């Protein structure tokens, strides 16, 4: 395994962190949109309370992904930015609206205004994960190919790669995963049992939706993403990975059913991470199928070595700081306060 | 609108928008930390109130800074894929380091904003200090990347490809030191004077208000020294530009003809057809003195650069003049305030000074926007000086006017909202 492979792995790790942390923040927004029943206000309060102190830090993971991508795999970054210009631009609009609306709601106004910003925040939280999934789906499908010079049209170069049933099925799947993660985490963070039960039900429903959307995506993968399909079925690691994922999924749902909240949180996180790694392994050694392998797009060795060194040093600072942040705001004691 | 123009406009808009929030993100934490420390030392609740209010404003601005910065990092690929394919391996290093600075900043800002009664007083203050330090560090890293675009080093160009890449040598490029110093000072000067200006305005209406007096003092404590140092660091920057970016210097100074003992032209309008600068005030030997610290030194004019490699001379010259004018005003006001403080006279009671500070409220930010126009427009037509032309770096994607329009609307909308939210924070200021 080369240094480039390792760094590609680090990018997947960063993406994994973004999905588990940032993804759950999006999911929180989705549940804000679907807040309902007698405890509507308290549900929203819990969501805002859970996201407030950590969303900026959670958001930085995606920046790390982008920065590592353009430093270590510049040609892949250039290809993505060119071919997926449209969904990436829409994704950015979603990111901007969500982040600023959340802050405006917390610091801005009360009453009418707070409601407006809450709505913007919630809708952006619903749309942005779908776009993220569409982008991942487009990459996995092998549609992000080099612009063909012969029969090139705007449609075939900039729209077709991502406007596919498979990419959109991955989008819905991502949304379901994020909503599921958020609901499971919120059962741990809830401060009263009634609200906790609300999120338990939501988590169970979302868990079922994860299954449904995964099945749909898999169905489309057969034609839409043959490489992923083949990888997920034929590779030697495929069966163990499927078994593990299934175990995590069933574990998460049974833990929710039997109200073992912390176990459910671990199992849900494991389930979503395994799915992500399944995708990454299925397209290895390609960074952007069908033509760009990790080795082909890697930066010169010096750059990779320096970045690896910086990552090592950075991790020494980063992980204790993150631990401290989460300890302050996510420990049982603070949940009780 | 041609695609290249749309791409440039979108990049310029995004950066010009982001830089305001970035500068606030660098300097505001310092103001908050000073206020909090004063509160811990004196027990005066006004300082605590101040720290908390500033923290609220910073939270809003920081969030907009974070999302607009995210837009920028994607835009490098969306608009300039060929630039990134070339430059990524060479200059990605400071961006990666910047990533870690962002992490530190975001983590400890979360602790600072939400942790007033969750962590010990010491830990809280330390979190504020970490936010201030990592904010400044992230600004320094990204400006190093920009300095490399101006004076690229750390690779050799062979048949259009970079070989012998050395990312550390790229970070140590000739413009890095002067640009990072100048930018960091700009953040403190601009933010310090903007905050001071707002409180000076309110003090003129309500002279005895303890809240605004303390706020004014702290803001000047941060802003005034930076404003005094800024012309000195600008001189450092000019001398670097004179040596490494002669076309930019010639455009800044509207110097059409290469000559020894060149005069400094103050004001004036570069007449492109006649290739001379009209209506300007000439200071004999001034430019040679400033650029090379030698009245007889030869300064290269635009005639030393092929015509198709000239930047937009009138714009660059104008932007430079405005920056220097605003910078001089800020420095004079800062010295005046310092003089009064030295004489043990209360600046908050000095109406003329308060008026001068109020006028200066937007000046630091305006000067910075002008400074960036000088740097970026003055580099044209190159995106990497002498290496890659902007026109060759742009994405092949057509119809770029659509995203440009989209982001223009989005940023106008956000700008209005932010201004309104901050205004509400201010009109609700306490009447202690
Ligand atoms: C508060 C803001 C502020 C103030 C008062 C000044 N500047 Fe400035 N200037 C900037 C804010 C700025 C900036 C926005 O921060 C720039 C853009 C790029 C950079 O590194 O700093 C800049 C760039 C910049 C450059 C171009 C550097 C390059 O392209 O490499 C020069 C030559 C100067 N400045 C010179 C001056 C002088 C002689 C000033 C005398 C008063 C001055 N600046 C005041
Ligand atoms: C925040 C302050 C900055 C402002 C206001 C600014 C302004 C601009 C402007 C006006 C342009 C368009 C050039 C033109 O129209 O001719 C531009 C382009 C560009 N800038 Fe900057 N810039 C800033 C900082 C940076 C930094 C820190 C980078 C770091 C890499 C950067 C990278 C670029 C790139 C890649 C382009 C496109 C190519 C070009 O036109 O040169 N800029 N910027
Ligand atoms: C000279 C120009 C720039 C300076 C001084 C600067 C500085 C900063 C600072 C201090 C922040 C922290 C957030 C805040 O305080 O609001 C920030 C945020 C950010 N900047 Fe910039 N920046 C500049 C230009 C750029 C450019 C060209 C990029 C794109 C590559 C960029 C990418 C980002 C990103 C991704 C964030 C969000 C980080 C977070 O979530 O905390 N910045 N910038």
């Amino acid at each position: 395994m080369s240094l480039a492979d390792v760094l590609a792995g680090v990018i997947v790790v960063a993406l994994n962190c973004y999905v588990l942390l940032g993804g759950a923040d999006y999911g929180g927004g989705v549940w804000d949109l679907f807040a309902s029943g007698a405890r509507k206000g308290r549900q929203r309060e819990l969501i805002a309370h859970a996201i407030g102190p950590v969303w900026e830090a959670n958001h930085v993971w995606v920046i790390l992904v982008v920065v590592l991508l353009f430093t270590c795999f510049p040609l892949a970054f250039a290809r993505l930015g060119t071919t997926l210009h449209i969904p990436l631009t829409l994704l950015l609009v979603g990111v901007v609206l969500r982040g600023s609306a959340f802050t405006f709601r917390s610091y801005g106004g009360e009453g009418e205004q707070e409601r407006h910003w809450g709505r913007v925040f919630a809708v952006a939280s619903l749309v942005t994960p779908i776009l993220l999934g569409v982008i991942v789906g487009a990459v996995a499908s092998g549609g992000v190919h080099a612009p063909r010079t012969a029969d090139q049209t705007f449609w075939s170069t900039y729209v077709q790669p991502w406007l596919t049933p498979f990419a959109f099925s991955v989008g819905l799947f991502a949304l379901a995963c994020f909503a599921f993660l958020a609901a499971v985490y919120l059962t741990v963070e809830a401060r009263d049992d009634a609200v906790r039960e609300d999120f338990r039900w939501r988590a169970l429903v979302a868990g079922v939706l994860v299954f449904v959307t995964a099945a749909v995506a898999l169905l489309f993968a057969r034609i839409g993403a043959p490489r992923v399909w083949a990888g997920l079925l034929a590779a030697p690691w495929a069966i163990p990975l499927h078994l593990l994922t299934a175990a995590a999924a069933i574990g998460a749902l049974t833990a929710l059913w039997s109200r073992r909240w912390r176990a459910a949180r671990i199992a849900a996180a494991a389930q979503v991470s395994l799915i992500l790694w399944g995708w990454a392994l299925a397209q290895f050694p390609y960074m952007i199928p069908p033509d760009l392998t990790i080795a082909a797009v890697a930066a010169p060795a010096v750059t990779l070595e320096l970045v690896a060194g910086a990552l090592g040093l950075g991790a020494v600072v980063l992980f204790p700081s993150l631990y401290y942040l989460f300890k302050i705001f996510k420990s049982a004691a603070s949940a009780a306060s | 609108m041609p695609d290249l123009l749309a791409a440039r406009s979108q990049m310029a808009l995004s950066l010009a928008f982001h830089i305001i929030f970035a500068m606030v993100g660098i300097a505001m934490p310092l103001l908050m930390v000073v206020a909090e420390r004063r509160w811990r030392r004196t027990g005066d609740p006004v300082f605590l109130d101040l720290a908390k209010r500033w923290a609220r404003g910073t939270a809003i601005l920081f969030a907009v800074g974070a999302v607009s910065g995210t837009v920028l990092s994607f835009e490098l690929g969306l608009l300039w894929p060929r630039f990134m394919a070339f430059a990524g391996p060479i200059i990605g290093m400071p961006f990666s380091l910047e990533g870690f600075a962002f992490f530190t900043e975001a983590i400890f800002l979360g602790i600072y904003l939400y942790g007033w009664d969750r962590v010990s007083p010491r830990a809280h203050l330390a979190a504020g200090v970490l936010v201030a330090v990592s904010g400044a560090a992230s600004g320094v890293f990204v400006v190093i990347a920009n300095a490399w675009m101006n004076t690229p080093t750390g690779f050799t160009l062979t048949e259009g490809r970079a070989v012998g890449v050395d990312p550390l040598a790229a970070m140590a490029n000739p413009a890095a030191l002067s640009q990072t110093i100048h930018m960091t000072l700009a953040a403190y000067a601009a933010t310090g004077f903007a905050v001071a200006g707002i409180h000076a305005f309110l003090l003129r209406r309500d002279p005895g208000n303890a809240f605004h007096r303390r706020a004014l003092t702290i803001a000047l404590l941060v802003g005034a020294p930076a404003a005094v140092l800024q012309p000195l660091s600008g001189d450092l920057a000019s001398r670097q530009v004179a040596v490494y970016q002669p076309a930019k210097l010639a455009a800044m100074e509207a110097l059409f003809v290469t000559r020894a003992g060149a005069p400094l032209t103050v004001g004036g309008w570069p007449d492109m057809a006649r290739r001379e600068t009209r209506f300007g005030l000439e200071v004999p030997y001034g430019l040679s003195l400033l650029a090379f610290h030698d009245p007889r030194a030869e300064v290269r004019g635009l005639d030393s650069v092929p015509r198709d490699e000239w930047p937009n001379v009138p714009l660059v010259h104008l932007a430079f003049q405005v920056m220097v004018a605003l910078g001089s005003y800020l420095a004079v006001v800062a010295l005046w305030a310092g003089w009064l403080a030295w004489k043990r006279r209360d600046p908050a009671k000095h109406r003329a000074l308060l008026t001068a500070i109020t006028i200066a409220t937007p000046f630091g930010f305006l000067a910075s926007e002008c400074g960036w126009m000088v740097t970026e427009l003055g580099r044209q037509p190159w995106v990497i000086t002498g290496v890659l032309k902007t026109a060759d770096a742009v994405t092949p994607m057509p119809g770029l006017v659509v995203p440009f329009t989209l982001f223009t609307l989005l940023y106008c909308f956000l700008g209005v909202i932010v201004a309104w939210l901050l205004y509400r924070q201010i009109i609700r200021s306490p009447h202690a």
Side-chain angles (χ1 to χ4, degrees):
Chain A
M1 189 177 268
S2 68
L3 184 55
D5 294 341
V6 174
L7 286 167
V10 173
I11 292 181
V12 183
V13 171
L15 198 60
N16 197 346
C17 291
Y18 184 57
V19 166
L20 291 185
L21 301 167
D25 292 346
Y26 284 106
V30 175
W31 295 123
D32 184 292
L33 189 64
F34 294 128
S36 60
R39 289 173 295 278
K40 207 168 167 170
R42 269 149 72 199
Q43 290 167 8
R44 291 204 164 122
E45 228 170 80
L46 171 65
I47 293 165
H49 183 83
I51 297 179
V54 293
W55 81 265
E56 306 228 27
N58 291 347
H59 174 78
V60 181
W61 288 107
V62 74
I63 294 161
L64 196 64
V65 170
V66 169
V67 166
L68 287 177
L69 201 62
F70 73 57
T71 309
C72 303
F73 306 101
L75 295 173
F77 183 67
R79 171 78 66 83
L80 289 176
T82 310
T83 312
L84 298 179
H85 191 114
I86 297 169
L88 281 169
T89 299
L90 296 175
L91 175 84
L92 286 177
V93 174
V95 166
V96 169
L97 284 178
R98 190 187 78 106
S100 40
F102 179 73
T103 311
F104 295 164
R105 183 179 67 168
S106 318
Y107 286 92
E110 50 271 331
E112 187 72 351
Q113 272 196 22
E114 189 175 341
R115 277 224 315 288
H116 284 312
W117 289 122
R119 191 49 62 91
V120 175
F121 162 67
V123 172
S125 299
L126 184 81
V127 177
T128 316
I130 299 182
L131 288 162
L132 199 66
V134 166
I135 289 160
V136 168
V139 171
S141 74
V144 186
H145 45 65
R148 293 190 206 92
T149 32
D151 55 340
Q152 186 177 19
T153 61
F154 183 82
W155 182 262
S156 72
T157 317
Y158 299 105
V159 181
Q160 246 171 18
W162 54 272
L163 196 67
T164 63
F166 173 68
F168 274 82
S169 69
V170 177
L172 289 177
F173 175 59
L175 179 65
C177 285
F178 290 0
F180 176 58
L181 284 175
V184 174
Y185 296 175
L186 287 167
T187 63
V188 181
E189 297 194 23
R191 279 161 294 174
D192 66 80
D193 284 332
V195 175
R196 182 171 290 133
E197 280 304 307
D198 288 347
F199 283 108
R200 173 171 172 257
W201 280 111
R202 284 167 169 72
L204 287 168
V205 171
V208 172
L209 284 177
V210 170
F211 270 114
V212 175
T213 49
V216 174
L218 211 59
L219 213 69
F220 283 123
R222 213 179 143 174
I223 355 162
R227 168 168 288 279
V228 170
W229 170 259
L232 286 178
L233 288 185
W237 47 263
I239 302 299
L241 186 86
H242 288 307
L243 289 178
L244 268 178
T245 314
I250 294 167
L253 290 181
T254 46
L256 274 176
W257 190 257
S258 54
R259 300 193 170 77
R260 280 173 297 136
W261 314 115
R262 277 163 199 283
R265 179 164 68 176
I266 293 173
Q271 177 192 351
V272 174
S273 307
L274 284 165
I275 294 168
L276 187 77
W277 282 93
W279 159 56
L281 283 175
Q283 71 169 50
F284 184 81
Y286 287 92
M287 180 144 259
I288 301 185
D291 56 337
L292 297 184
T293 60
I294 292 173
V297 291
V302 247
T303 303
L304 300 183
E305 282 157 17
L306 280 169
V307 170
L311 282 172
L313 284 179
V316 175
V317 181
L318 174 61
F319 285 106
S321 311
L322 272 178
Y323 174 77
Y324 182 56
L325 176 74
F326 281 88
K327 197 176 125 231
I328 295 171
F329 294 107
K330 300 285 168 180
S331 64
S334 75
S337 74
Chain B
M1 188 185 238
D3 283 320
L4 176 61
L5 186 63
R8 287 168 64 184
S9 308
Q10 185 178 335
M11 194 70 198
L13 169 83
S14 309
L15 282 156
F17 186 80
H18 175 69
I19 193 67
I20 292 175
F21 300 92
M23 293 208 291
V24 171
I26 292 169
M28 250 355 250
L30 187 60
L31 268 74
M32 295 175 335
V33 165
V34 173
E36 185 179 347
R37 191 169 150 73
R38 292 252 166 124
W39 169 60
R40 304 263 187 224
R41 292 204 124 183
T42 62
D44 182 346
V46 174
F47 283 121
L48 177 64
D49 195 17
L50 198 55
K52 289 203 164 174
R53 276 163 188 277
W54 277 344
R56 286 173 72 83
T58 304
I60 299 172
L61 295 166
F62 190 92
V64 180
V67 293
S68 60
T70 310
V71 170
L72 276 174
S73 48
F74 279 88
E75 270 175 351
L76 290 176
L78 292 173
L79 300 174
W80 316 104
R82 293 173 192 159
F83 164 67
M84 286 318 285
F86 181 88
I90 310 171
I91 208 60
M93 198 58 196
F95 282 111
S96 311
L97 296 171
E98 193 201 18
F100 283 106
F102 287 154
F103 257 125
T104 319
E105 198 181 0
I107 289 170
F108 289 98
L109 188 76
I111 294 172
Y112 191 89
L113 293 178
Y114 291 84
W116 283 96
D117 37 41
R118 297 264 178 98
V119 298
S120 71
R122 247 162 189 277
H124 192 261
L125 195 63
V129 172
L130 280 171
V131 177
V133 172
S134 51
S138 63
V140 165
F141 287 131
V142 74
V143 172
I144 289 178
N146 180 265
W148 177 84
M149 294 163 60
N150 291 327
T151 57
T153 48
F155 65 96
T156 29
L157 197 64
T158 314
E159 290 163 8
R161 290 170 42 101
V163 294
V165 170
D166 181 351
L168 294 181
M171 284 179 72
N173 65 73
L177 185 68
S178 60
Q179 272 197 254
T180 49
I181 295 175
H182 196 56
M183 177 71 233
T184 311
L185 288 173
Y188 295 123
T191 312
F193 264 96
V195 173
I198 292 167
H199 291 286
F201 174 74
L202 294 166
L203 268 178
R204 290 178 70 241
R205 288 177 162 180
D206 181 9
N209 190 314
F211 180 82
H212 296 307
R213 292 177 51 156
R214 288 178 173 76
L216 180 72
T217 313
I218 296 178
L220 284 178
L221 212 60
V222 170
V228 174
L229 291 173
Q230 195 62 333
L232 301 177
S233 77
D235 174 57
L236 195 69
S238 304
R239 281 189 286 140
Q240 168 272 119
V241 173
V243 175
Y244 295 98
Q245 308 174 66
K248 186 185 279 180
L249 186 82
M252 276 157 54
E253 306 291 356
L255 182 69
F256 284 94
V257 187
T258 304
R259 59 183 283 192
L264 183 72
T265 310
V266 179
W269 185 254
D271 184 333
M272 299 306 289
R274 291 167 57 179
R275 298 205 172 184
E276 61 179 37
T277 303
R278 306 171 66 191
F279 316 119
L281 187 73
E282 292 205 348
V283 183
Y285 303 107
L287 181 55
S288 292
L289 255 176
L290 279 178
F292 295 99
H293 287 194
D294 169 7
R296 311 240 157 255
E298 185 185 85
V299 183
R300 283 174 61 185
L302 286 161
D303 57 358
S304 68
V305 182
R307 178 66 185 90
D308 61 346
E309 289 180 12
W310 287 16
N312 184 328
V313 180
L315 264 183
V316 174
H317 179 66
L318 180 69
F320 184 66
Q321 302 282 314
V322 173
M323 169 170 62
V324 174
L326 295 173
S328 310
Y329 179 85
L330 290 180
V332 169
V333 175
L335 286 172
W336 184 8
W339 167 256
L340 288 176
W342 194 56
K343 288 270 156 195
R344 309 235 158 256
R345 295 194 19 217
D346 187 352
K349 293 221 179 85
H350 202 291
R351 271 192 86 79
L353 179 70
L354 290 182
T355 310
I357 295 176
T358 307
I359 293 171
T361 309
F363 281 9
F365 288 103
L366 286 177
S368 302
E369 298 286 0
C370 290
W372 281 108
M373 300 243 299
V374 172
T375 304
E376 302 293 312
L377 292 173
R379 192 182 56 235
Q380 300 304 314
W382 303 98
V383 59
I384 307 170
T385 308
V387 176
L388 184 68
K389 290 225 164 117
T390 310
D392 298 326
V394 72
T395 179
M397 159 108 182
L400 290 177
V401 65
V402 177
F404 171 54
T405 313
L406 187 68
F407 279 102
T408 307
L409 293 175
L410 188 63
Y411 282 161
C412 287
F413 173 67
L414 284 187
V416 170
I417 306 284
V418 169
W420 188 77
L421 287 178
L422 291 181
Y423 172 72
R424 285 204 354 174
Q425 295 269 345
I426 291 161
I427 53 170
R428 280 212 246 111
S429 73
H431 296 280

